[in-house]
Amino acid sequence: MAGKLISTGLRHTTLPGNYVRPISDRPRLSEVSQLEDFPLIDLSSTDRSVLVQQIHQACARFGFFQVINHGVSKQIIDEMVSVAHEFFSMSMEEKMKLYSDDPTKTTRLSTSFNVKKEEVNNWRDYLRLHCHPIHKYVHEWPSNPPSFKEIVSKYSREVREVGFKIEELISESLGLEKDYMKKVLGEQGQHMAVNYYPPCPEPELTYGLPAHTDPNALTILLQDTTVCGLQILIDGQWFAVNPHPDAFVINIGDQLQALSNGVYKSVWHRAVTNTENPRLSVASFLCPADCAVMSPAKPLWKAEDNETKPIYRDFTYAEYYKKFWSRNLDQEHCLENFRNN
């Protein structure tokens, strides 16, 4: 089924049939709770041991946390949000120049998630970009708005540094060397999804994105500060993650769950819609090099007095990513296919 952009600028009064979920698979928004004790971590803290401990607790319990004082200026963040809104408010004719349903394309505007595979679509348009190395991809990026390339380049570089900082803390929080993750992940790829969720006439019947886990190593999300939409699954219950001013939401991807031998969780999360306001989010994904071999870190299971076994078999990121895109987004956890028997 070919996709069709929904960011037309016109309000939809009813939900088209191809977006309506079966009754058993609807968001049931009235059953969603607010998450009260969601970790907020101040990266400017000078007490490294406290930081490492906070990261450990957040990754083991939630697989998600927010960071403030992360080093990316408010100006760069505001410019990123502004140019993204500008992009989605351009004419359909201008946007369609970038449209593609092919998930292997390194720069593309698309809709839903994987329209070729889906039976029901999702209430989302998104611009997906490869961002590292920038010089390799920037020529493919949108030339309109005119400031797009410069702003997104600046934002991508800074977010990458935040990601590296967090990967070091995660390594230490598992009792590994500070640069363990960086070494194992190799020359990390970086992708960006600029997500746009227009106002939806019937939010109870559909998703912006259904429940999924992220296939990469680490995700750094810039949430819309005024509109809620992100929800995470904890102990079988959905919780709303309310935006915090100037914070990034960080989540553990499938690769870090594998590297941590399941100590840290790549958690199911989803995006829901609302009737009133459009919602924008910018997700930056740090990914292992394609040839990087993912396997549970030996120090976590190989100690002499340790009875733990590696839960996952060795695999390359390229193998994993191919598997991830060959399936439906909300099928079982893709990591289940890589378990040791």
Side-chain angles (χ1 to χ4, degrees), residues 32 83 85 185:
V32 174
V83 83
H85 273 295
L185 297 170

Side-chain angles (χ1 to χ4, degrees), residues 41-96:
I41 298 174
D42 183 348
L43 289 184
S44 67
S45 164
T46 50
D47 191 333
R48 183 99 181 163
S49 62
V50 169
L51 255 185
V52 166
Q53 190 185 2
Q54 287 176 328
I55 295 267
H56 178 78
Q57 286 168 341
C59 294
R61 168 94 177 93
F62 297 103
F64 266 80
F65 52 95
Q66 297 188 87
V67 294
I68 50 171
N69 296 322
H70 37 64
V72 182
S73 74
K74 184 165 168 36
Q75 183 188 346
I76 287 178
I77 287 174
D78 290 348
E79 285 175 355
M80 178 69 231
V81 170
S82 171
V83 83
H85 273 295
E86 224 180 307
F87 174 84
F88 280 102
S89 59
M90 292 192 308
S91 71
M92 284 299 270
E93 186 187 6
E94 186 64 38
K95 284 188 291 206
M96 286 309 286

Side-chain angles (χ1 to χ4, degrees), residues 27 29 197 203 206-209 228-231 270-274 279:
L29 298 173
Y197 307 94
T206 194
Y207 292 107
L209 266 181
C228 299
L230 174 65
Q231 299 182 348
R270 66 186 190 183
V272 296
T273 59
N274 74 86
R279 175 173 174 263

Side-chain angles (χ1 to χ4, degrees), residues 37-320:
D37 55 345
F38 191 57
L40 181 67
I41 298 174
D42 183 348
L43 289 184
S44 67
S45 164
T46 50
D47 191 333
R48 183 99 181 163
S49 62
V50 169
L51 255 185
V52 166
Q53 190 185 2
Q54 287 176 328
I55 295 267
H56 178 78
Q57 286 168 341
C59 294
R61 168 94 177 93
F62 297 103
F64 266 80
F65 52 95
Q66 297 188 87
V67 294
I68 50 171
N69 296 322
H70 37 64
V72 182
S73 74
K74 184 165 168 36
Q75 183 188 346
I76 287 178
I77 287 174
D78 290 348
E79 285 175 355
M80 178 69 231
V81 170
S82 171
V83 83
H85 273 295
E86 224 180 307
F87 174 84
F88 280 102
S89 59
M90 292 192 308
S91 71
M92 284 299 270
E93 186 187 6
E94 186 64 38
K95 284 188 291 206
M96 286 309 286
K97 292 176 187 171
L98 289 157
Y99 189 88
S100 170
D101 289 337
D102 176 2
T104 62
K105 281 195 76 168
T106 49
T107 297
R108 65 191 181 101
L109 175 66
S110 199
T111 191
S112 192
F113 172 69
N114 191 351
V115 282
K116 290 180 174 174
K117 284 248 176 275
E118 295 163 347
E119 288 171 24
V120 183
N121 295 136
N122 304 297
W123 199 255
R124 164 184 92 136
D125 288 343
Y126 64 99
L127 175 65
R128 198 166 174 104
L129 310 170
H130 280 225
C131 304
H132 184 81
I134 286 177
H135 64 80
K136 187 174 166 186
Y137 299 110
V138 71
H139 68 279
E140 303 174 351
W141 292 1
S143 8
N144 276 324
S147 57
F148 186 92
K149 290 179 179 178
E150 186 192 344
I151 289 170
V152 177
S153 297
K154 213 183 321 177
Y155 177 83
S156 298
R157 284 192 188 100
E158 299 224 356
V159 160
R160 188 175 181 82
E161 291 311 308
V162 175
F164 287 167
K165 213 185 289 184
I166 290 167
E167 284 173 358
E168 286 186 350
L169 288 162
I170 289 173
S171 291
E172 286 180 57
S173 73
L174 286 164
L176 303 166
E177 295 292 321
K178 180 165 130 176
D179 58 357
Y180 183 89
M181 293 292 170
K182 234 171 158 178
K183 280 181 177 163
V184 171
L185 297 170
E187 181 58 36
Q188 289 177 64
Q190 185 177 344
H191 306 167
M192 176 188 285
V194 185
N195 301 307
Y196 186 80
Y197 307 94
C200 176
E202 297 175 275
E204 283 286 353
L205 304 184
T206 194
Y207 292 107
L209 266 181
H212 64 286
T213 65
D214 289 352
N216 49 296
L218 194 73
T219 302
I220 301 147
L221 179 75
L222 175 58
Q223 277 215 87
D224 198 311
T225 52
T226 53
V227 189
C228 299
L230 174 65
Q231 299 182 348
I232 68 176
L233 187 66
I234 301 164
D235 303 330
Q237 164 78 36
W238 285 102
F239 289 91
V241 176
N242 291 332
H244 188 282
D246 306 322
F248 286 127
V249 178
I250 309 294
N251 69 283
I252 297 289
D254 296 351
Q255 307 312 309
L256 292 190
Q257 177 168 328
L259 288 175
S260 73
N261 205 29
V263 175
Y264 291 167
K265 300 287 184 280
S266 175
V267 168
W268 292 93
H269 52 289
R270 66 186 190 183
V272 296
T273 59
N274 74 86
T275 53
E276 297 303 312
N277 300 303
R279 175 173 174 263
L280 182 91
S281 71
V282 182
S284 295
F285 306 102
L286 286 180
C287 319
D290 279 351
C291 59
V293 176
M294 300 292 102
S295 65
K298 286 201 173 62
L300 299 182
W301 58 269
K302 227 180 171 185
E304 283 175 27
D305 55 348
N306 196 339
E307 307 252 319
T308 317
K309 299 229 172 354
I311 298 175
Y312 305 104
R313 67 171 174 84
D314 293 6
F315 55 87
T316 64
Y317 184 58
E319 183 189 355
Y320 193 90

